Amino acid sequence: MTGVAQLLVNGVALGAAYALVALGFVLVLNATSAVNFAQGDLVMAGGFLAVALAGLIPLPGILLLPLVAALMAALGLLVSLLAYLPLRHRPPVSVFISTIAVGIILQNGATLLFGPEPKAAPPLFGGGTLEIAGLLVPKQSLAVVAVAGLLILGQHWLFARTQLGRRLRATAQDPEMARACGIPVTVMVAATFALGAALAGAAGLLLSNQFFVTPTSGSGLILKAYIAVTIGGWGSVPGAVAGALLIAAFEVLVSATLSYSAATAALYLALLAILAVRPQGLFGEAARSRA
């Protein structure tokens, strides 16, 4: 029982980082109805950005985090200007292909700049473990959960309590009505891409100091985000967080008892089962069409 609890502790830390990936994914989905296939590669880019900044500025990860998020927000803004806004009135497949192209550019750019070898960003704080209720909990895992939790709460506060958040929600719910009310929809969409990329950058830093980062590591992350959003319900922010925690716990437990390959196969089988039985996800909010 203690072993299972220990694994679940590790799963929570992994799920917290997955949740940031899924949140950025669902934010863009809600605002544009477009699936941003570059979201996983933005996480990878955030990880390598943290590695590069650590080489220039020898600071702990917690102090690099705001800088990584700000630079990634600028990259997200650029992605919206180049890969979404010029194509938003074209068939949806145009945006799908353009975001895939962005991901390929990021992967090859990372390979060119950093090489194919795994890299690690600096830890948020110092290393070591704490003993809590008989469980050995790495300090880094606690820090990841705390930082990811604060970012998720901050994102909730932004959307629920601020004028910018209300405008972003209005744009996501009905772009035409928002435009009729004087909300600059194009600016809000670009801001959503920037926010999604900032969350991806934060996730990249959190993951890269625990699991390393490679130029192709984003490909697996976008699939995890897709599964989390599908499990949680398309369009549901709480569902995305819950879905991320579920798949991380599932992945950690099955990997420990069988193998990582078995965990991956079982995860996709579970996804197929959910799509067959409950295509709107466990939280039941279906995707809506956007203008």
Side-chain angles (χ1 to χ4, degrees), residues 11 14-20 22 224 228-229 231 239-249:
L14 181 61
Y18 281 174
L20 293 180
K224 300 286 174 56
V229 171
I231 290 174
V241 176
L245 292 172
L246 279 174
I247 65 172

Side-chain angles (χ1 to χ4, degrees), residues 46-52 54 59 61 64 119-124 140 204-210 212-213:
F48 274 117
L49 180 58
V51 171
L59 293 174
L64 292 176
K119 300 286 192 304
L124 291 174
Q140 181 65 19
L205 191 153
L206 298 183
L207 286 168
S208 62
N209 58 35
Q210 285 196 303
F212 299 98
V213 58

Side-chain angles (χ1 to χ4, degrees), residues 31-89:
T32 66
S33 274
V35 175
N36 181 11
F37 285 106
Q39 189 69 22
D41 293 302
L42 288 170
V43 176
M44 175 274 296
F48 274 117
L49 180 58
V51 171
L53 288 173
L56 298 172
I57 314 169
L59 293 174
I62 191 65
L63 297 180
L64 292 176
L65 185 62
L67 186 54
V68 170
L71 292 173
M72 287 301 299
L75 179 59
L77 188 61
L78 184 64
V79 170
S80 72
L81 293 175
L82 297 178
Y84 175 73
L85 291 174
L87 302 172
R88 58 181 162 169
H89 299 305

Side-chain angles (χ1 to χ4, degrees), residues 136-158:
L136 293 177
V137 182
K139 292 179 182 177
Q140 181 65 19
S141 296
L142 286 176
V144 167
V145 172
V147 170
L150 286 174
L151 289 172
I152 292 169
L153 289 175
Q155 188 246 339
H156 174 74
W157 173 81
L158 171 70

